[in-house]
Amino acid sequence: MPRLARRALLALAGLGLAAAPAAAQPFPNRTVTIVVPFAAGGPTDTVARLVAEAMGRELGQTVVVENAGGAGGTIGAQRVAQARPDGHTLLLHHIGMATTPSLYRRLAYDPIGGFEPVGLITEVPMTLVAKKDFPANTLAEAIAVIRQRRDALNYANAGIGAASHLCGLLLMKAVDTAMTTVPFRGTGPAMQELLSGRIDLMCDQTTNTTEQINSGAIKAFAVTTRERVASLPNLPTSAEAGLPAFEVSVWHGLYAPKGTPAEITRRLSQALQVALRDPRLVARFAELGTTPVAQDRATPEAHRAFWMADIAKWQPIIQAAGQYAD
Ligand code: MLT
């Protein structure tokens, strides 16, 4: 090697600029933030806080939840799609990730290409609930009141694309009627209005309604899954109550921004799988009417396949309803 080149290489080595790779920082190396695209106190927030606590134990790092509500969950999703892809900012979202691509036509982010799926978390049943003094005690009686009073009734949801919006779409399609829809930044705040009697009806996840139903603070007419929910044993399924088409469950998943290194996404998926086996999380999920997904679904590959299939499932339903958010 010519003398000049050797001297140059030695000089670079002295400056540490030679080929030695920069020591990669361990992951995580600071607080991890899980963004929830709905207000605090709602069903998505409830799932996120349980997952954050259990993942934090596994990662040995603080994992915090940040609520970024509004626009049916797209404000929080955009925040993560545009975050630094280093694994420290994540999104916990639900079925809205499958409906947003069909409902929103002018987003400032790519609702599919903006994310790396990390793993599925849980599938939560929904319940049709009403204020305590709603003049019905069965689904059939509630349908009669809905048909008679129509837009004199206030139905709450968490914005277009939210699970509560989709459930309302399915209900109004199955009952062939319409109610006045009142959007909130999440069904946490909406629940407060239902408890006060200012809202008449809502379709929301058992993670937000179970305790209110069992305490008698609100009425419930059906659960939207094929099987009854153990924590709500007396609540009939929508099929038992005479409305088999009114069936939906809300799946939740964890996402990192597009471009997050695969080894970090893999590490996050491993931590999620451990979290979903955590006895405290499993017990609390059961109290709230749900269970963690099987371990082989909490992987990036299983999550992506399920997500893409659900996008394809909802696209014709939304197109036929002709309702878009923008
Ligand atoms: C929804 O989609 O209705 C959300 O679950 C509401 C929420 O989590 O606050």
PDB file of all heavy atoms in Angstrom, residues 36-46 72 93-96 126 157-159 161-165 185-189 203-205 208 250 252, ligand 1:
ATOM      1  N   VAL A  36     -52.349   6.884  21.914  1.00  0.00           N
ATOM      2  CA  VAL A  36     -53.727   6.383  21.776  1.00  0.00           C
ATOM      3  C   VAL A  36     -54.514   7.463  21.048  1.00  0.00           C
ATOM      4  O   VAL A  36     -54.566   8.605  21.512  1.00  0.00           O
ATOM      5  CB  VAL A  36     -54.353   6.117  23.169  1.00  0.00           C
ATOM      6  CG1 VAL A  36     -55.860   5.885  23.051  1.00  0.00           C
ATOM      7  CG2 VAL A  36     -53.676   4.921  23.818  1.00  0.00           C
ATOM      8  N   PRO A  37     -55.116   7.139  19.905  1.00  0.00           N
ATOM      9  CA  PRO A  37     -55.755   8.189  19.096  1.00  0.00           C
ATOM     10  C   PRO A  37     -57.172   8.554  19.547  1.00  0.00           C
ATOM     11  O   PRO A  37     -58.000   8.983  18.750  1.00  0.00           O
ATOM     12  CB  PRO A  37     -55.773   7.571  17.694  1.00  0.00           C
ATOM     13  CG  PRO A  37     -55.903   6.102  17.943  1.00  0.00           C
ATOM     14  CD  PRO A  37     -55.164   5.834  19.223  1.00  0.00           C
ATOM     15  N   PHE A  38     -57.440   8.325  20.848  1.00  0.00           N
ATOM     16  CA  PHE A  38     -58.722   8.699  21.442  1.00  0.00           C
ATOM     17  C   PHE A  38     -58.466   9.276  22.830  1.00  0.00           C
ATOM     18  O   PHE A  38     -57.389   9.073  23.405  1.00  0.00           O
ATOM     19  CB  PHE A  38     -59.657   7.481  21.538  1.00  0.00           C
ATOM     20  CG  PHE A  38     -60.023   6.920  20.201  1.00  0.00           C
ATOM     21  CD1 PHE A  38     -59.412   5.773  19.717  1.00  0.00           C
ATOM     22  CD2 PHE A  38     -60.953   7.567  19.391  1.00  0.00           C
ATOM     23  CE1 PHE A  38     -59.723   5.269  18.465  1.00  0.00           C
ATOM     24  CE2 PHE A  38     -61.271   7.062  18.130  1.00  0.00           C
ATOM     25  CZ  PHE A  38     -60.651   5.918  17.673  1.00  0.00           C
ATOM     26  N   ALA A  39     -59.496   9.934  23.381  1.00  0.00           N
ATOM     27  CA  ALA A  39     -59.349  10.586  24.690  1.00  0.00           C
ATOM     28  C   ALA A  39     -59.087   9.559  25.790  1.00  0.00           C
ATOM     29  O   ALA A  39     -59.378   8.361  25.651  1.00  0.00           O
ATOM     30  CB  ALA A  39     -60.640  11.344  24.998  1.00  0.00           C
ATOM     31  N   ALA A  40     -58.515  10.040  26.880  1.00  0.00           N
ATOM     32  CA  ALA A  40     -58.260   9.168  28.046  1.00  0.00           C
ATOM     33  C   ALA A  40     -59.596   8.657  28.592  1.00  0.00           C
ATOM     34  O   ALA A  40     -60.652   9.262  28.411  1.00  0.00           O
ATOM     35  CB  ALA A  40     -57.519   9.966  29.108  1.00  0.00           C
ATOM     36  N   GLY A  41     -59.539   7.471  29.223  1.00  0.00           N
ATOM     37  CA  GLY A  41     -60.734   6.957  29.904  1.00  0.00           C
ATOM     38  C   GLY A  41     -61.631   6.109  29.036  1.00  0.00           C
ATOM     39  O   GLY A  41     -62.626   5.562  29.502  1.00  0.00           O
ATOM     40  N   GLY A  42     -61.283   5.959  27.753  1.00  0.00           N
ATOM     41  CA  GLY A  42     -62.114   5.142  26.866  1.00  0.00           C
ATOM     42  C   GLY A  42     -61.537   3.739  26.720  1.00  0.00           C
ATOM     43  O   GLY A  42     -60.508   3.406  27.319  1.00  0.00           O
ATOM     44  N   PRO A  43     -62.164   2.914  25.900  1.00  0.00           N
ATOM     45  CA  PRO A  43     -61.737   1.508  25.754  1.00  0.00           C
ATOM     46  C   PRO A  43     -60.355   1.333  25.152  1.00  0.00           C
ATOM     47  O   PRO A  43     -59.595   0.471  25.575  1.00  0.00           O
ATOM     48  CB  PRO A  43     -62.821   0.915  24.846  1.00  0.00           C
ATOM     49  CG  PRO A  43     -63.475   2.051  24.182  1.00  0.00           C
ATOM     50  CD  PRO A  43     -63.376   3.200  25.128  1.00  0.00           C
ATOM     51  N   THR A  44     -59.979   2.184  24.195  1.00  0.00           N
ATOM     52  CA  THR A  44     -58.646   2.046  23.592  1.00  0.00           C
ATOM     53  C   THR A  44     -57.593   2.442  24.608  1.00  0.00           C
ATOM     54  O   THR A  44     -56.558   1.784  24.751  1.00  0.00           O
ATOM     55  CB  THR A  44     -58.551   2.929  22.331  1.00  0.00           C
ATOM     56  OG1 THR A  44     -59.700   2.717  21.522  1.00  0.00           O
ATOM     57  CG2 THR A  44     -57.298   2.600  21.526  1.00  0.00           C
ATOM     58  N   ASP A  45     -57.884   3.483  25.349  1.00  0.00           N
ATOM     59  CA  ASP A  45     -56.971   3.958  26.408  1.00  0.00           C
ATOM     60  C   ASP A  45     -56.795   2.880  27.478  1.00  0.00           C
ATOM     61  O   ASP A  45     -55.684   2.625  27.951  1.00  0.00           O
ATOM     62  CB  ASP A  45     -57.585   5.224  27.014  1.00  0.00           C
ATOM     63  CG  ASP A  45     -56.685   5.874  28.044  1.00  0.00           C
ATOM     64  OD1 ASP A  45     -55.582   6.314  27.675  1.00  0.00           O
ATOM     65  OD2 ASP A  45     -57.050   5.880  29.237  1.00  0.00           O
ATOM     66  N   THR A  46     -57.891   2.203  27.835  1.00  0.00           N
ATOM     67  CA  THR A  46     -57.840   1.156  28.861  1.00  0.00           C
ATOM     68  C   THR A  46     -56.912   0.026  28.433  1.00  0.00           C
ATOM     69  O   THR A  46     -56.042  -0.422  29.181  1.00  0.00           O
ATOM     70  CB  THR A  46     -59.263   0.618  29.118  1.00  0.00           C
ATOM     71  OG1 THR A  46     -60.057   1.690  29.635  1.00  0.00           O
ATOM     72  CG2 THR A  46     -59.265  -0.547  30.093  1.00  0.00           C
ATOM     73  N   GLY A  72     -61.778  10.906  14.454  1.00  0.00           N
ATOM     74  CA  GLY A  72     -61.964   9.458  14.328  1.00  0.00           C
ATOM     75  C   GLY A  72     -60.696   8.656  14.512  1.00  0.00           C
ATOM     76  O   GLY A  72     -60.591   7.524  14.045  1.00  0.00           O
ATOM     77  N   HIS A  93     -53.887   1.194  18.135  1.00  0.00           N
ATOM     78  CA  HIS A  93     -55.141   1.560  17.483  1.00  0.00           C
ATOM     79  C   HIS A  93     -55.940   0.292  17.200  1.00  0.00           C
ATOM     80  O   HIS A  93     -55.449  -0.821  17.424  1.00  0.00           O
ATOM     81  CB  HIS A  93     -54.844   2.301  16.174  1.00  0.00           C
ATOM     82  CG  HIS A  93     -55.979   3.127  15.644  1.00  0.00           C
ATOM     83  ND1 HIS A  93     -57.270   3.064  16.149  1.00  0.00           N
ATOM     84  CD2 HIS A  93     -56.011   4.050  14.644  1.00  0.00           C
ATOM     85  CE1 HIS A  93     -58.034   3.899  15.472  1.00  0.00           C
ATOM     86  NE2 HIS A  93     -57.324   4.533  14.560  1.00  0.00           N
ATOM     87  N   HIS A  94     -57.164   0.476  16.694  1.00  0.00           N
ATOM     88  CA  HIS A  94     -58.013  -0.699  16.557  1.00  0.00           C
ATOM     89  C   HIS A  94     -58.519  -0.821  15.119  1.00  0.00           C
ATOM     90  O   HIS A  94     -57.815  -0.417  14.181  1.00  0.00           O
ATOM     91  CB  HIS A  94     -59.147  -0.611  17.574  1.00  0.00           C
ATOM     92  CG  HIS A  94     -59.988   0.618  17.458  1.00  0.00           C
ATOM     93  ND1 HIS A  94     -60.270   1.248  16.258  1.00  0.00           N
ATOM     94  CD2 HIS A  94     -60.644   1.331  18.396  1.00  0.00           C
ATOM     95  CE1 HIS A  94     -61.054   2.265  16.461  1.00  0.00           C
ATOM     96  NE2 HIS A  94     -61.295   2.353  17.745  1.00  0.00           N
ATOM     97  N   ILE A  95     -59.728  -1.330  14.972  1.00  0.00           N
ATOM     98  CA  ILE A  95     -60.322  -1.606  13.659  1.00  0.00           C
ATOM     99  C   ILE A  95     -60.308  -0.366  12.767  1.00  0.00           C
ATOM    100  O   ILE A  95     -60.334  -0.474  11.533  1.00  0.00           O
ATOM    101  CB  ILE A  95     -61.772  -2.108  13.879  1.00  0.00           C
ATOM    102  CG1 ILE A  95     -62.369  -2.698  12.606  1.00  0.00           C
ATOM    103  CG2 ILE A  95     -62.650  -1.026  14.443  1.00  0.00           C
ATOM    104  CD1 ILE A  95     -63.712  -3.370  12.847  1.00  0.00           C
ATOM    105  N   GLY A  96     -60.193   0.796  13.374  1.00  0.00           N
ATOM    106  CA  GLY A  96     -60.108   2.041  12.597  1.00  0.00           C
ATOM    107  C   GLY A  96     -58.955   2.039  11.606  1.00  0.00           C
ATOM    108  O   GLY A  96     -59.001   2.705  10.569  1.00  0.00           O
ATOM    109  N   MET A 126     -68.496  -5.601  21.387  1.00  0.00           N
ATOM    110  CA  MET A 126     -69.178  -4.311  21.594  1.00  0.00           C
ATOM    111  C   MET A 126     -70.546  -4.568  22.229  1.00  0.00           C
ATOM    112  O   MET A 126     -71.103  -5.663  22.140  1.00  0.00           O
ATOM    113  CB  MET A 126     -69.336  -3.560  20.271  1.00  0.00           C
ATOM    114  CG  MET A 126     -67.995  -3.204  19.653  1.00  0.00           C
ATOM    115  SD  MET A 126     -68.118  -1.858  18.445  1.00  0.00           S
ATOM    116  CE  MET A 126     -67.944  -0.436  19.526  1.00  0.00           C
ATOM    117  N   ASN A 157     -70.703   8.742  19.278  1.00  0.00           N
ATOM    118  CA  ASN A 157     -69.569   7.934  18.806  1.00  0.00           C
ATOM    119  C   ASN A 157     -68.289   8.738  18.988  1.00  0.00           C
ATOM    120  O   ASN A 157     -68.307   9.859  19.487  1.00  0.00           O
ATOM    121  CB  ASN A 157     -69.763   7.485  17.363  1.00  0.00           C
ATOM    122  CG  ASN A 157     -69.676   8.629  16.362  1.00  0.00           C
ATOM    123  OD1 ASN A 157     -69.030   9.657  16.608  1.00  0.00           O
ATOM    124  ND2 ASN A 157     -70.328   8.457  15.217  1.00  0.00           N
ATOM    125  N   ALA A 158     -67.173   8.132  18.574  1.00  0.00           N
ATOM    126  CA  ALA A 158     -65.856   8.782  18.760  1.00  0.00           C
ATOM    127  C   ALA A 158     -65.334   9.289  17.421  1.00  0.00           C
ATOM    128  O   ALA A 158     -64.128   9.320  17.186  1.00  0.00           O
ATOM    129  CB  ALA A 158     -64.873   7.795  19.372  1.00  0.00           C
ATOM    130  N   GLY A 159     -66.269   9.699  16.550  1.00  0.00           N
ATOM    131  CA  GLY A 159     -65.854  10.280  15.270  1.00  0.00           C
ATOM    132  C   GLY A 159     -65.927   9.270  14.142  1.00  0.00           C
ATOM    133  O   GLY A 159     -65.979   8.047  14.375  1.00  0.00           O
ATOM    134  N   GLY A 161     -65.124   6.665  11.554  1.00  0.00           N
ATOM    135  CA  GLY A 161     -64.033   5.671  11.474  1.00  0.00           C
ATOM    136  C   GLY A 161     -63.804   4.995  12.809  1.00  0.00           C
ATOM    137  O   GLY A 161     -63.174   3.944  12.884  1.00  0.00           O
ATOM    138  N   ALA A 162     -64.362   5.584  13.878  1.00  0.00           N
ATOM    139  CA  ALA A 162     -64.201   4.956  15.194  1.00  0.00           C
ATOM    140  C   ALA A 162     -65.053   3.681  15.245  1.00  0.00           C
ATOM    141  O   ALA A 162     -66.018   3.516  14.486  1.00  0.00           O
ATOM    142  CB  ALA A 162     -64.642   5.925  16.277  1.00  0.00           C
ATOM    143  N   ALA A 163     -64.708   2.789  16.162  1.00  0.00           N
ATOM    144  CA  ALA A 163     -65.465   1.537  16.291  1.00  0.00           C
ATOM    145  C   ALA A 163     -66.912   1.843  16.644  1.00  0.00           C
ATOM    146  O   ALA A 163     -67.843   1.204  16.142  1.00  0.00           O
ATOM    147  CB  ALA A 163     -64.836   0.676  17.375  1.00  0.00           C
ATOM    148  N   SER A 164     -67.100   2.843  17.463  1.00  0.00           N
ATOM    149  CA  SER A 164     -68.468   3.231  17.876  1.00  0.00           C
ATOM    150  C   SER A 164     -69.251   3.773  16.678  1.00  0.00           C
ATOM    151  O   SER A 164     -70.467   3.602  16.594  1.00  0.00           O
ATOM    152  CB  SER A 164     -68.393   4.278  18.982  1.00  0.00           C
ATOM    153  OG  SER A 164     -67.369   5.228  18.684  1.00  0.00           O
ATOM    154  N   HIS A 165     -68.552   4.397  15.735  1.00  0.00           N
ATOM    155  CA  HIS A 165     -69.218   4.864  14.497  1.00  0.00           C
ATOM    156  C   HIS A 165     -69.605   3.678  13.622  1.00  0.00           C
ATOM    157  O   HIS A 165     -70.729   3.560  13.147  1.00  0.00           O
ATOM    158  CB  HIS A 165     -68.275   5.807  13.753  1.00  0.00           C
ATOM    159  CG  HIS A 165     -68.651   6.028  12.316  1.00  0.00           C
ATOM    160  ND1 HIS A 165     -67.873   5.611  11.275  1.00  0.00           N
ATOM    161  CD2 HIS A 165     -69.740   6.608  11.751  1.00  0.00           C
ATOM    162  CE1 HIS A 165     -68.453   5.924  10.120  1.00  0.00           C
ATOM    163  NE2 HIS A 165     -69.584   6.531  10.387  1.00  0.00           N
ATOM    164  N   ARG A 185     -64.329  13.027  21.365  1.00  0.00           N
ATOM    165  CA  ARG A 185     -62.910  12.696  21.108  1.00  0.00           C
ATOM    166  C   ARG A 185     -62.579  11.286  21.597  1.00  0.00           C
ATOM    167  O   ARG A 185     -61.448  10.815  21.483  1.00  0.00           O
ATOM    168  CB  ARG A 185     -61.994  13.722  21.790  1.00  0.00           C
ATOM    169  CG  ARG A 185     -62.145  15.123  21.187  1.00  0.00           C
ATOM    170  CD  ARG A 185     -61.395  16.163  21.989  1.00  0.00           C
ATOM    171  NE  ARG A 185     -59.956  15.998  21.879  1.00  0.00           N
ATOM    172  CZ  ARG A 185     -59.227  16.448  20.862  1.00  0.00           C
ATOM    173  NH1 ARG A 185     -59.817  17.044  19.855  1.00  0.00           N
ATOM    174  NH2 ARG A 185     -57.922  16.284  20.831  1.00  0.00           N
ATOM    175  N   GLY A 186     -63.596  10.632  22.148  1.00  0.00           N
ATOM    176  CA  GLY A 186     -63.431   9.243  22.587  1.00  0.00           C
ATOM    177  C   GLY A 186     -64.697   8.828  23.322  1.00  0.00           C
ATOM    178  O   GLY A 186     -65.499   9.679  23.746  1.00  0.00           O
ATOM    179  N   THR A 187     -64.889   7.522  23.509  1.00  0.00           N
ATOM    180  CA  THR A 187     -66.127   7.116  24.200  1.00  0.00           C
ATOM    181  C   THR A 187     -65.964   7.171  25.709  1.00  0.00           C
ATOM    182  O   THR A 187     -66.907   6.900  26.445  1.00  0.00           O
ATOM    183  CB  THR A 187     -66.545   5.713  23.741  1.00  0.00           C
ATOM    184  OG1 THR A 187     -65.422   4.831  23.814  1.00  0.00           O
ATOM    185  CG2 THR A 187     -67.096   5.744  22.329  1.00  0.00           C
ATOM    186  N   GLY A 188     -64.763   7.571  26.169  1.00  0.00           N
ATOM    187  CA  GLY A 188     -64.631   7.896  27.596  1.00  0.00           C
ATOM    188  C   GLY A 188     -65.503   9.101  27.922  1.00  0.00           C
ATOM    189  O   GLY A 188     -66.422   9.027  28.756  1.00  0.00           O
ATOM    190  N   PRO A 189     -65.259  10.254  27.260  1.00  0.00           N
ATOM    191  CA  PRO A 189     -66.134  11.414  27.487  1.00  0.00           C
ATOM    192  C   PRO A 189     -67.597  11.140  27.124  1.00  0.00           C
ATOM    193  O   PRO A 189     -68.514  11.603  27.790  1.00  0.00           O
ATOM    194  CB  PRO A 189     -65.540  12.481  26.564  1.00  0.00           C
ATOM    195  CG  PRO A 189     -64.173  12.028  26.222  1.00  0.00           C
ATOM    196  CD  PRO A 189     -64.123  10.564  26.419  1.00  0.00           C
ATOM    197  N   CYS A 203     -72.871   2.585  21.070  1.00  0.00           N
ATOM    198  CA  CYS A 203     -72.366   1.220  20.901  1.00  0.00           C
ATOM    199  C   CYS A 203     -70.899   1.294  21.270  1.00  0.00           C
ATOM    200  O   CYS A 203     -70.126   2.012  20.615  1.00  0.00           O
ATOM    201  CB  CYS A 203     -72.542   0.785  19.450  1.00  0.00           C
ATOM    202  SG  CYS A 203     -72.093  -0.917  19.188  1.00  0.00           S
ATOM    203  N   ASP A 204     -70.507   0.613  22.317  1.00  0.00           N
ATOM    204  CA  ASP A 204     -69.126   0.769  22.793  1.00  0.00           C
ATOM    205  C   ASP A 204     -68.598  -0.570  23.292  1.00  0.00           C
ATOM    206  O   ASP A 204     -69.336  -1.528  23.514  1.00  0.00           O
ATOM    207  CB  ASP A 204     -69.069   1.818  23.908  1.00  0.00           C
ATOM    208  CG  ASP A 204     -67.644   2.312  24.137  1.00  0.00           C
ATOM    209  OD1 ASP A 204     -66.782   2.051  23.278  1.00  0.00           O
ATOM    210  OD2 ASP A 204     -67.404   2.919  25.183  1.00  0.00           O
ATOM    211  N   GLN A 205     -67.300  -0.624  23.449  1.00  0.00           N
ATOM    212  CA  GLN A 205     -66.629  -1.873  23.763  1.00  0.00           C
ATOM    213  C   GLN A 205     -66.793  -2.282  25.227  1.00  0.00           C
ATOM    214  O   GLN A 205     -66.890  -1.402  26.100  1.00  0.00           O
ATOM    215  CB  GLN A 205     -65.141  -1.738  23.410  1.00  0.00           C
ATOM    216  CG  GLN A 205     -64.931  -1.421  21.924  1.00  0.00           C
ATOM    217  CD  GLN A 205     -63.534  -0.981  21.630  1.00  0.00           C
ATOM    218  OE1 GLN A 205     -62.587  -1.716  21.862  1.00  0.00           O
ATOM    219  NE2 GLN A 205     -63.378   0.227  21.119  1.00  0.00           N
ATOM    220  N   ASN A 208     -65.171  -0.644  28.181  1.00  0.00           N
ATOM    221  CA  ASN A 208     -65.639   0.639  28.705  1.00  0.00           C
ATOM    222  C   ASN A 208     -67.034   0.539  29.295  1.00  0.00           C
ATOM    223  O   ASN A 208     -67.481   1.441  30.007  1.00  0.00           O
ATOM    224  CB  ASN A 208     -65.646   1.679  27.565  1.00  0.00           C
ATOM    225  CG  ASN A 208     -65.706   3.110  28.090  1.00  0.00           C
ATOM    226  OD1 ASN A 208     -65.157   3.409  29.142  1.00  0.00           O
ATOM    227  ND2 ASN A 208     -66.407   3.972  27.376  1.00  0.00           N
ATOM    228  N   VAL A 250     -63.979  -5.577  17.948  1.00  0.00           N
ATOM    229  CA  VAL A 250     -62.998  -4.522  17.685  1.00  0.00           C
ATOM    230  C   VAL A 250     -61.594  -5.038  17.982  1.00  0.00           C
ATOM    231  O   VAL A 250     -61.207  -5.227  19.124  1.00  0.00           O
ATOM    232  CB  VAL A 250     -63.302  -3.289  18.562  1.00  0.00           C
ATOM    233  CG1 VAL A 250     -62.336  -2.150  18.212  1.00  0.00           C
ATOM    234  CG2 VAL A 250     -64.736  -2.839  18.352  1.00  0.00           C
ATOM    235  N   HIS A 252     -57.510  -4.802  18.141  1.00  0.00           N
ATOM    236  CA  HIS A 252     -56.520  -3.769  18.467  1.00  0.00           C
ATOM    237  C   HIS A 252     -55.140  -4.291  18.090  1.00  0.00           C
ATOM    238  O   HIS A 252     -54.849  -5.480  18.234  1.00  0.00           O
ATOM    239  CB  HIS A 252     -56.525  -3.460  19.965  1.00  0.00           C
ATOM    240  CG  HIS A 252     -57.798  -2.839  20.452  1.00  0.00           C
ATOM    241  ND1 HIS A 252     -58.999  -3.523  20.465  1.00  0.00           N
ATOM    242  CD2 HIS A 252     -58.079  -1.611  20.934  1.00  0.00           C
ATOM    243  CE1 HIS A 252     -59.949  -2.730  20.959  1.00  0.00           C
ATOM    244  NE2 HIS A 252     -59.430  -1.569  21.221  1.00  0.00           N
TER     245      HIS A 252
HETATM  246  C1  MLT B   1     -63.949   3.992  19.301  1.00  0.00           C
HETATM  247  O1  MLT B   1     -63.482   3.665  18.233  1.00  0.00           O
HETATM  248  O2  MLT B   1     -65.141   4.153  19.544  1.00  0.00           O
HETATM  249  C2  MLT B   1     -62.945   4.131  20.358  1.00  0.00           C
HETATM  250  O3  MLT B   1     -62.742   2.873  20.917  1.00  0.00           O
HETATM  251  C3  MLT B   1     -63.337   5.100  21.373  1.00  0.00           C
HETATM  252  C4  MLT B   1     -62.313   5.206  22.437  1.00  0.00           C
HETATM  253  O4  MLT B   1     -61.432   4.334  22.568  1.00  0.00           O
HETATM  254  O5  MLT B   1     -62.420   6.185  23.152  1.00  0.00           O
END
